[in-house]
Amino acid sequence: MTDWHARDVGDVVAGLETDSERGLSTVESSRRLAEIGPNELGGGRGPGRWRILVSQFTDMLIFVLLVAAVVSGFLLGEWIDAGVILAIVVLNAVIGYTQEVRAEDALARLKEMAAPTALVIRDGEEVDIATAEVVPGDLLVLEAGDKVAADARLVAAVHLQAEEASLTGESLPVSKSLKRSPLEASTGDRRSMVFAGTVIAAGRGRAVITATGPSTEMGKIAEMLEPEEQPSPLSLELAEVGRRIAWLTLGIAVIVFILGLARDRSAESVQTMFLIAVALAVAAIPEGLPAVVTVTLARGVQAMAKNNAIVRRLPAVEALGAASVICTDKTGTLTRNEMRVQVIDFADLATRPADVEEADGRVWRFAQIAALCSDARRVTDGYQGDPTEIAVLRSIDPTILKVNEVRAASPRLDEVAFDSSRKMMTTLHPAGERFLVAVKGAPEVVLGRCASFEHVGGPVPMDEQRRTSAVETANGFAARGLRTLGFAYSIIDARPADLADAERDLVFVALAGMSDELRPETRRAIQDANAAGVRVVMVTGDHLVTARAVAADLGLLGERSALAGTELRAMEQEELNAVVEDVAVYARVDPADKVKIVKAWKSTGGIVAMTGDGVNDAPALQAADIGVAMGSGTDVAKEAADMVLADDNFATILLAVSEGRVIFSNLKKVVYFLLSANASEVLVMFLGFLFFGALGEPLLATQLLWINLVTDGLPALALGIDTPVPGLMQQSPDERREILSVPHQLRILWQGAFLAAGALGALIWAHYLRGAEWEYVRTMIFTTLVTAQLAHIYNIRAQGTTVWKIGFGGNRVLTWGVIGSLMLHVLVVYTPLGNRLFDTVPIEWIDWPAIIALTVLPFLGVDAVKRRTVRLHPAWETVGD
């Protein structure tokens, strides 16, 4: 049964076969525990170490590299090359495994201890039992500060309030009542219930447990979490790259083998051509790509860690850079989840707390009433009590007065507590020979008890115009989403027998408007998101008026609208899909609503990041492309997320977006460089066999593998950690996603053709103009291709513009990587060991000007085509493509 909130107390007690005074018997509770099971939720441990390790080897490119290692070792006999490829695979796995394990350990340290016990009444006596042992029908005893053990229907309540932000998103404590709630009420509006995982903020009460474990509202949310994780955009892109490379590699090997057979079908030639075809296929694989991707992402993780972000999965860093929509919770994410007084209105003065004049007698009187007519108290690390009372005390203590000193000088003699029917609180204090009556409450109620208002010179009679003006001001505060309190007092001669009788002819002092304070960096972060083409959408469990007011304050609304949860739930998924881009705010939503919103944005092609901290956010965090949880949030939210923000700072998300865009931009450079370089090798072999096949093999298998080693190594890695492309955060995120679209493939091909032309130019120079031996010619082709590829890296670095605009500096690692690779190649050409391992011969110095020229010409050719492209399409200059 799920309608306990809509049933009377007597029906609930009878339906659960319990006793509202004595609770269950020990025997009956044991029977129910055996029948229903413990009050626990499954899961919560995160992926195991073995699972994390195995996941490092599930990438398509990793499979291709493992095949390449086997072929290099067993078919080509190049065990050194096989070892290098395996080392790359192992390095990639170690870096990824280490980072993910560290992230899980960091999350474990962030976890808060759950309440280990619950206070229940059994056999008429209060007993502490393990939370896991409570059962439906148990009579739960609730006091301020208690964490609720299970969902329960209230049977007794005295000023009971519950903090439900983690479950419903409600930023303020919810007042509870024994009165049954409407049957159709959402979780946040079920005032007759308390829920597992929430905290009692004030008051006391008793409740009959109605649901435990998976049957609780928290348990239902846990069931919405899907076990399979969503792949990140980068994972999908790289998987597609891996598949294309795998098929391309197979095709290259077959074509080259057939061309070789067409030239010579002898047994020796067949064996040689098979080995060369296989070697060329191996050379076509960008061995360094997985390592470069992993190291680049790990560097991004380190950068984010410095900004208090814990990345659980490496691709999440880049994936945030792809986000086109951020669906964010309000409470604790855009706001501090901390009430603050925003405005105080006196008779003819509206001001902020920081601007009040202490010399004004009205200000001191307001502070005196606020200090005395309040149950909140100061403790070692701040204040404890009702959030609205705490907010008022913070606005006055110690800037106007010291609360403890005022309370000591005017002790409380009597009080009439606040309740939902009276909507006001009154306290009595000594005032010399007389008595001070201090009152606060709902403005319309307090104003109705006032006969005058406090002016600068003292009390002045209140006419109807002044009363109406004060009510309108209070309504204006409410329309802005502020929680409003009115403050009044009176000085009486005698102590009343019943304090309620003194709640008349009061002097109205002030109105105070409070709200959950915005984080100071939130406005700027949202402006940065708008500039980056990222839509920010507020999704909250708070009320529509409050949510709309906060959104308007942040500049989120604009031409877009706000939608209440009731309207959202009445819409079919297809209806929401059609209007989702026109809605900026969703209020009073349930967990299933959040998932519905994420799906709607995904249907538009958007890449969705979802932020949140509560249990109610977990399903949407997992459904989104990138889930971002707050470090102070619940364990369930953190375990469902890809990234955890330890500082709960929304602005950190924009730093992650920026870091992600830099990473993706650099990874595109790496992919374009490696594939265009590998394309040049394929073209050299293909055209070399096609036009110069009778002369010999253009390059040997070991030489092809060496080229990949020196270019896929440090230079490519340096390109992966390059400085950001200018204007990266001023472009639309949707324009950056494809790595190997048809235009990009054509660009890779023609750039590879320029490099291949330089290498084949070395063949023509050395063989036809210099008349050199083929071994010497092959060394010239070998060397020219290496130098042309290393020069080409600077053209790739200037994607979207020209190298002359950004220069050759700005990346020391790249500079030293290129120099180091050139020095290693010089050793291969000029040392006996290098000559023996790679079948090279020393190049005469007279040929180096030709090598330099054949390196510079392709470089200038690629740059000239790029400059023409930018001139014809100026917008491309800022895209970084």
Side-chain angles (χ1 to χ4, degrees), residues 70-71 75 189 222 468 578 589 645 658:
V70 171
V71 170
L75 294 182
D189 292 324
T468 301
V589 296
L645 303 183
S658 177

Side-chain angles (χ1 to χ4, degrees), residues 824-837 840-842:
L824 286 173
H825 188 74
V826 167
L827 294 177
V828 165
V829 173
Y830 288 103
T831 63
L833 179 62
N835 297 154
R836 186 169 64 254
L837 290 176
T840 58
V841 294

Side-chain angles (χ1 to χ4, degrees), residues 809-831:
N811 189 334
R812 289 187 179 181
V813 179
L814 178 60
T815 301
W816 285 108
V818 169
I819 293 173
S821 295
L822 286 172
M823 295 301 296
L824 286 173
H825 188 74
V826 167
L827 294 177
V828 165
V829 173
Y830 288 103
T831 63

Side-chain angles (χ1 to χ4, degrees), residues 107-148:
L107 282 177
R109 288 192 293 270
L110 278 175
K111 287 184 177 180
E112 299 173 349
M113 292 293 292
T117 62
L119 184 62
V120 299
I121 296 177
R122 287 183 177 174
D123 296 317
E125 295 184 1
E126 292 186 357
V127 291
D128 265 322
I129 62 171
T131 301
E133 295 177 4
V134 300
V135 295
D138 261 327
L139 187 58
L140 193 62
V141 179
L142 302 171
E143 295 181 352
D146 287 351
K147 193 170 186 179
V148 181

Side-chain angles (χ1 to χ4, degrees), residues 171-172 331-332 335-342 387 390-391 394 515-518:
S171 58
L172 297 172
T331 306
T335 66
R336 293 180 180 274
N337 196 17
E338 185 178 277
M339 293 289 288
R340 293 278 183 172
V341 174
Q342 304 298 333
I390 291 173
R394 283 198 178 109
S515 68
D516 187 3
E517 189 172 49
L518 292 173

Side-chain angles (χ1 to χ4, degrees), residues 49-301:
R49 296 293 193 262
W50 277 109
R51 182 178 173 185
I52 294 175
L53 181 61
V54 171
S55 70
Q56 309 305 316
F57 297 93
T58 57
D59 185 84
M60 174 64 77
L61 273 178
I62 296 297
F63 284 132
V64 175
L65 286 180
L66 290 174
V67 173
V70 171
V71 170
S72 298
F74 290 98
L75 294 182
L76 302 180
E78 300 296 339
W79 292 103
I80 294 178
D81 298 307
V84 169
I85 295 173
L86 287 175
I88 289 172
V89 172
V90 171
L91 176 63
N92 175 75
V94 168
I95 293 174
Y97 173 82
T98 301
Q99 176 55 41
E100 291 192 28
V101 166
R102 285 179 178 174
E104 293 300 325
D105 289 343
L107 282 177
R109 288 192 293 270
L110 278 175
K111 287 184 177 180
E112 299 173 349
M113 292 293 292
T117 62
L119 184 62
V120 299
I121 296 177
R122 287 183 177 174
D123 296 317
E125 295 184 1
E126 292 186 357
V127 291
D128 265 322
I129 62 171
T131 301
E133 295 177 4
V134 300
V135 295
D138 261 327
L139 187 58
L140 193 62
V141 179
L142 302 171
E143 295 181 352
D146 287 351
K147 193 170 186 179
V148 181
D151 290 3
R153 172 62 161 94
L154 290 169
V155 296
V158 180
H159 310 312
L160 191 70
Q161 293 183 321
E163 292 273 7
E164 297 180 349
S166 65
L167 181 66
T168 66
E170 173 64 63
S171 58
L172 297 172
V174 178
S175 295
K176 295 298 181 177
S177 168
L178 300 185
K179 186 179 179 181
R180 62 184 183 182
S181 304
L183 181 62
E184 68 279 3
S186 64
T187 303
D189 292 324
R190 295 178 184 178
R191 301 301 177 92
S192 59
M193 299 286 293
V194 289
F195 300 102
T198 61
V199 177
I200 302 303
R204 63 185 185 276
R206 293 182 179 183
V208 173
I209 292 179
T210 57
T212 59
S215 299
T216 62
E217 292 300 317
M218 185 182 294
K220 293 174 185 176
I221 291 172
E223 288 179 357
M224 294 172 64
L225 299 177
E226 299 176 2
E228 293 186 6
E229 296 172 357
Q230 299 286 333
S232 73
L234 179 65
S235 301
L236 295 173
E237 285 289 328
L238 291 182
E240 180 62 24
V241 170
R243 281 190 293 270
R244 293 187 184 186
I245 290 175
W247 285 110
L248 181 64
T249 298
L250 181 61
I252 290 168
V254 171
I255 292 173
V256 171
F257 182 69
I258 292 173
L259 287 175
L261 288 182
R263 187 189 66 178
D264 186 353
R265 297 189 180 183
S266 64
E268 183 179 351
S269 176
V270 170
Q271 182 180 2
T272 302
M273 285 312 305
F274 176 75
L275 294 178
I276 289 176
V278 171
L280 184 57
V282 171
I285 299 169
E287 292 94 340
L289 182 57
V292 171
V293 169
T294 301
V295 171
T296 302
L297 292 177
R299 180 177 176 272
V301 167

